[in-house]
Amino acid sequence: MRELEDRIVRDGKILPGNVLKVGSFLNQQVDTALIGRMGAEIARLFAKDGVTKVLTVESSGIPIAFAAASALGVPMVFAKKSVSSNMSGSSYVAPVTSYTHGKTYNIVVSAAYLTAQDRVLLVDDFLAVGQALRGLICLCQQGEAQVVGAAVAIEKQYQGGGDALRRDGVRVESLAMISSLDEKKGITFCTQPGQSL
Amino acid sequence: MRELEDRIVRDGKILPGNVLKVGSFLNQQVDTALIGRMGAEIARLFAKDGVTKVLTVESSGIPIAFAAASALGVPMVFAKKSVSSNMSGSSYVAPVTSYTHGKTYNIVVSAAYLTAQDRVLLVDDFLAVGQALRGLICLCQQGEAQVVGAAVAIEKQYQGGGDALRRDGVRVESLAMISSLDEKKGITFCTQPGQSL
């Protein structure tokens, strides 16, 4: 999605350690109009897949997942990173190791919201090593829900998580796919077929 | 908002300890169409207030805050419950004691996203004792941003947080205001003037 790539170049910041910061428009301060268009693009990519539910994990994927689910006309579910006192009944739990934070935590979702009748689209803001998406896939497997694919705002292709998921048969769509990221050299994007500009 | 009250009666569950669970449509599984209409209603209520930014705290307020900010045509910012490695620069921090979880934590937002030029609308899913909103107000004060008011999906009026904020001069709008909640007697709503059904 050319608009997103342009915005990353314009407003993204590369922090020491080659961390890409997009907090000014994507995952702390959120440009609602841009996110709305990203949601519409995700809905276009998965329009024919009979999606019944969009699943993400708190917190920064929620706006994009909400926008995609709105455009698809389906509910959005978000897994939590801790069990909350307002959860009741049985739950599904999966371990996730965060690349950004460097620790392992459990993600959890009420069993009632993922069922064998569901065709689930996974949505997140970033895809690096793919741990969060694999955790979400694990939750879907526990509920016997079918995963139709995953859509992420930004894939760091060079970290390999997206390609590993694709090798495992998961359809992964990225609105912006970064092939290299360097404090001095800047950001390079992969050319992607089949995406609208 | 009559539609929200009806939905709370239909799909809300009262757990032991008089905790209201609305995870099936509001804060774990999200009915995107309903949340979109709630965002539009919040935008209507604050249409004349020159809002430049909507502020919430992760995670369950994010969908409603996003919908309200989208309808108002302004960015949405969410405070985090821990400092993330993808935050850089100076931050504002405020303590919040969670009524639901019974512990105190800090909420934090990058200083760049709350400035003296901002007119901020606070949005959250629940208002009970008002600690989260007071934390958000504290963040705005640190950034010298003006708080134009707060909009919440569900106010538990009997817990007093909303009325205490109103006494302190904060405009607080609730889409559904619960006057009593009881496992046996069910849910009673306050009648509210000035709200559309």
Side-chain angles (χ1 to χ4, degrees):
Chain A
M1 192 177 172
R2 182 64 179 273
E3 181 188 6
L4 178 59
E5 293 180 354
D6 290 346
R7 190 66 177 271
I8 292 167
V9 170
R10 197 184 84 190
D11 292 334
K13 298 209 187 315
I14 305 175
L15 304 184
N18 293 340
V19 171
L20 177 63
K21 189 193 171 199
V22 288
S24 68
F25 62 97
L26 193 68
N27 59 11
Q28 182 167 178
Q29 178 166 263
V30 173
D31 180 331
T32 49
L34 171 65
I35 299 281
R37 289 188 290 273
M38 289 165 56
E41 171 66 2
I42 292 169
R44 187 189 72 80
L45 290 165
F46 288 89
K48 295 177 181 170
D49 294 278
V51 175
T52 65
K53 219 160 263 187
V54 169
L55 178 67
T56 189
V57 57
E58 63 181 3
S59 290
S60 51
I62 293 177
I64 304 162
F66 178 83
S70 293
L72 286 162
V74 300
M76 184 269 283
V77 176
F78 62 94
K80 292 172 180 276
K81 289 179 179 169
S82 62
V83 177
S84 165
S85 67
N86 61 6
M87 288 178 67
S88 62
S90 62
S91 301
Y92 302 131
V93 180
V96 171
T97 302
S98 164
Y99 172 78
T100 316
H101 300 88
K103 57 186 173 187
T104 299
Y105 52 90
N106 283 324
I107 61 173
V108 57
V109 71
S110 292
Y113 308 142
L114 288 177
T115 74
Q117 282 71 52
D118 280 317
R119 294 176 57 82
V120 179
L121 171 62
L122 313 177
V123 172
D124 209 353
D125 57 342
F126 270 98
L127 167 54
V129 294
Q131 278 285 309
L133 289 180
R134 288 189 185 273
L136 293 174
I137 289 169
C138 180
L139 295 180
C140 289
Q141 287 169 339
Q142 291 172 59
E144 298 178 19
Q146 189 176 341
V147 175
V148 301
V152 299
I154 301 174
E155 177 179 348
K156 293 172 168 176
Q157 190 268 337
Y158 57 95
Q159 290 192 255
D163 288 338
L165 283 162
R166 291 181 186 99
R167 282 195 299 274
D168 291 344
V170 180
R171 177 180 169 198
V172 181
E173 301 281 356
S174 306
L175 300 186
M177 192 188 280
I178 295 175
S179 57
S180 71
L181 184 73
D182 187 279
E183 268 188 275
K184 288 174 188 158
K185 295 177 190 160
I187 301 168
T188 312
F189 295 97
C190 307
T191 307
Q192 294 177 78
Q195 299 240 348
S196 72
L197 300 184
Chain B
M1 192 178 172
R2 183 63 179 272
E3 180 188 7
L4 177 59
E5 293 181 354
D6 290 347
R7 189 66 177 271
I8 292 166
V9 170
R10 197 184 85 190
D11 292 334
K13 298 210 187 313
I14 305 176
L15 303 184
N18 293 337
V19 171
L20 177 64
K21 188 192 171 200
V22 288
S24 69
F25 62 96
L26 193 68
N27 59 12
Q28 180 166 181
Q29 177 167 263
V30 173
D31 180 332
T32 49
L34 171 64
I35 299 282
R37 289 188 289 272
M38 289 165 55
E41 171 65 2
I42 292 169
R44 187 189 71 80
L45 290 165
F46 287 90
K48 295 177 181 170
D49 294 278
V51 174
T52 66
K53 218 159 266 185
V54 169
L55 178 66
T56 189
V57 58
E58 64 180 2
S59 292
S60 51
I62 294 176
I64 305 161
F66 178 83
S70 293
L72 285 162
V74 300
M76 184 268 284
V77 176
F78 63 94
K80 292 172 180 276
K81 290 179 179 169
S82 61
V83 177
S84 165
S85 68
N86 61 7
M87 288 178 67
S88 62
S90 62
S91 302
Y92 302 131
V93 179
V96 170
T97 302
S98 165
Y99 172 78
T100 316
H101 300 86
K103 57 187 174 187
T104 299
Y105 53 90
N106 283 325
I107 61 173
V108 57
V109 70
S110 291
Y113 308 142
L114 287 178
T115 73
Q117 282 72 52
D118 281 317
R119 294 176 56 83
V120 179
L121 172 62
L122 312 177
V123 172
D124 209 353
D125 57 342
F126 270 98
L127 167 53
V129 294
Q131 278 286 310
L133 289 180
R134 287 188 185 275
L136 293 174
I137 290 169
C138 181
L139 295 180
C140 289
Q141 286 168 337
Q142 291 173 58
E144 298 179 18
Q146 188 175 343
V147 175
V148 301
V152 299
I154 301 174
E155 177 179 348
K156 293 172 167 174
Q157 190 268 337
Y158 57 94
Q159 292 192 253
D163 288 338
L165 283 161
R166 291 180 185 100
R167 282 195 298 273
D168 290 345
V170 180
R171 177 181 169 196
V172 180
E173 300 281 357
S174 306
L175 300 186
M177 192 189 281
I178 295 174
S179 56
S180 71
L181 184 73
D182 187 279
E183 267 189 275
K184 288 174 188 159
K185 295 178 190 160
I187 302 168
T188 311
F189 295 97
C190 307
T191 307
Q192 295 177 77
Q195 299 241 346
S196 72
L197 301 182

